Amino acid sequence: ISYGSIVGTLDIRTTNEDETILEVVYKHPDKEQVKDVLETLSETYLDYSLSRRQFGVNRGLEFLDQQIPKIEAKVDELNQQLQGLRTEYNFIDPKIQGVQLSERLDNLISKQTEQKFQLENTQKLASLATKELNQQSTTSTTAMQVGTPRYNALLGDLKNIEHKIAQQSAIFSDQSPEIQTLQEQKQKIITLINQEIATIQQKINNQIQLQQEQEQSTNQEIANIQNNLEEWSGVTREYENIDRQMTITIEQLNELLIQREALRLEASQKEAPWRLLTPVGEPHTDAASTANYVVLGTLLGLLIGMGVALI
């Protein structure tokens, strides 16, 4: 069986005005071939109709099957970029880290202001105390405040010895052994006071130096945090940009997945819009063919009779 052997006796035509019904007629002396050809044609028509209806769906599925892996790969790439940022800068959410740095900076600025105030007060106090210490004042509250207990005790001893000298001076002359002894004692106390003054001044200088170092340390920490905030702002922008792309890409991926499932469902629910109105039955003899067979049989009989008569 070939196309050429079939098409000559195959008749396809419409049987109604709106041309919605096709009638297919095939003629052949072999009944089995007629039945086989018509059954094959009916299946082919129905399959063709189904494939045409599903053509658009299949094209859509093919497009989605190509796009979805690309979107998934983009999601993986963006996720790796986010993970790389988290690993490099050791954070979970950059906004939280930024807030913590800002709070730390505010605290340091407050601390810096307080340290400057304390340093200025200490420097003023040190200047005044140095002046009073050099004067060995026994009434200055500043000297008493910054002085050590030993210094304050020596000042008391000095005050007592001076009082004794004043009392003895009314009785003895300056060259008397009693006055000379008191003067020697006074000089020893003054020497000890001078030594203690040096110690106190060193203590004041150490305190000022410590406060200056603390202020410098705070200033350096503020500068570092400001640099970190500036760097962190760039990291935050990069993170938010990647996260925004991630959100958009995931939404696209979800939409494509939903569309693919919808198309798959639609494809599974598609049925052939054409249906077989009359199933293929047993082939029957065509009336025109019977008449032709009668005529041909008659002519053949006449020809045979004439042949016999001639013989």
Side-chain angles (χ1 to χ4, degrees):
I1 299 176
S2 64
Y3 175 79
S5 65
I6 293 177
V7 70
T9 55
L10 182 65
D11 183 18
I12 302 176
R13 59 181 180 270
T14 57
T15 61
N16 57 341
E17 295 181 357
D18 55 359
E19 299 182 348
T20 58
I21 298 178
L22 286 180
E23 183 182 52
V24 181
V25 178
Y26 175 62
K27 299 177 181 180
H28 193 272
D30 187 348
K31 288 184 178 183
E32 293 298 327
Q33 180 169 327
V34 171
K35 186 175 181 180
D36 291 341
V37 169
L38 291 179
E39 287 178 347
T40 303
L41 280 176
S42 65
E43 293 175 0
T44 303
Y45 271 117
L46 295 177
D47 293 340
Y48 169 78
S49 172
L50 180 60
S51 64
R52 290 291 295 177
R53 288 290 295 270
Q54 293 182 341
F55 178 74
V57 176
N58 293 333
R59 286 289 300 275
L61 286 173
E62 181 180 354
F63 172 77
L64 292 175
D65 289 339
Q66 293 175 352
Q67 293 299 317
I68 287 176
K70 296 179 181 179
I71 301 298
E72 290 175 340
K74 186 175 180 181
V75 170
D76 292 339
E77 180 182 356
L78 293 173
N79 192 34
Q80 290 178 0
Q81 292 179 8
L82 290 177
Q83 187 61 35
L85 283 176
R86 292 192 183 100
T87 302
E88 181 178 358
Y89 294 97
N90 191 21
F91 70 89
I92 298 176
D93 188 342
K95 294 182 179 179
I96 297 177
Q97 192 76 8
V99 170
Q100 292 176 349
L101 286 174
S102 297
E103 292 177 352
R104 176 61 177 165
L105 180 61
D106 293 338
N107 294 333
L108 286 173
I109 291 175
S110 299
K111 182 179 179 181
Q112 181 190 51
T113 303
E114 181 65 22
Q115 287 176 341
K116 286 182 178 180
F117 178 75
Q118 291 179 355
L119 179 60
E120 290 174 357
N121 287 341
T122 303
Q123 289 173 338
K124 292 178 182 179
L125 182 64
S127 177
L128 183 59
T130 300
K131 180 179 179 182
E132 294 176 353
L133 287 171
N134 291 332
Q135 294 175 354
Q136 297 179 0
S137 174
T138 60
T139 59
S140 172
T141 56
T142 303
M144 297 292 291
Q145 180 180 353
V146 300
T148 62
R150 175 177 171 77
Y151 172 77
N152 295 328
L154 289 172
L155 287 179
D157 294 340
L158 180 61
K159 184 177 180 180
N160 292 331
I161 200 69
E162 287 177 344
H163 180 70
K164 289 181 180 181
I165 291 174
Q167 289 179 342
Q168 295 296 326
S169 296
I171 302 173
F172 301 101
S173 65
D174 293 341
Q175 286 75 25
S176 65
E178 290 80 1
I179 297 297
Q180 291 295 324
T181 300
L182 291 174
Q183 289 291 348
E184 291 175 359
Q185 292 177 355
K186 177 182 177 180
Q187 189 60 42
K188 290 179 180 179
I189 293 174
I190 291 175
T191 301
L192 293 175
I193 288 175
N194 289 333
Q195 293 176 356
E196 195 64 23
I197 287 174
T199 302
I200 294 172
Q201 288 178 337
Q202 183 62 41
K203 175 184 175 182
I204 294 174
N205 292 335
N206 291 340
Q207 184 177 0
I208 292 175
Q209 182 178 359
L210 177 62
Q211 290 180 343
Q212 288 175 340
E213 290 176 354
Q214 290 175 344
E215 184 183 16
Q216 291 176 357
S217 176
T218 302
N219 293 338
Q220 183 63 41
E221 192 172 358
I222 288 175
N224 292 338
I225 291 182
Q226 288 175 339
N227 292 334
N228 290 339
L229 274 175
E230 183 177 355
E231 180 183 6
W232 203 254
S233 297
V235 174
T236 302
R237 287 193 299 270
E238 183 178 1
Y239 180 89
E240 290 177 348
N241 183 39
I242 297 174
D243 186 63
R244 183 168 52 253
Q245 294 181 25
M246 171 75 79
T247 301
I248 295 173
T249 306
I250 290 177
E251 290 178 354
Q252 292 177 347
L253 178 60
N254 291 334
E255 290 177 359
L256 292 179
L257 291 173
I258 292 173
Q259 291 177 6
R260 185 173 67 177
E261 292 303 316
L263 287 177
R264 285 177 175 176
L265 180 62
E266 183 180 357
S268 64
Q269 293 177 344
K270 286 290 185 181
E271 295 181 356
W274 293 0
R275 61 190 180 91
L276 192 61
L277 298 180
T278 304
V280 178
E282 288 295 327
H284 58 273
T285 303
D286 186 25
S289 297
T290 302
N292 290 336
Y293 291 153
V294 172
V295 172
L296 289 176
T298 303
L299 292 176
L300 183 58
L302 290 174
L303 290 176
I304 292 175
M306 292 174 63
V308 171
L310 291 173
I311 292 173

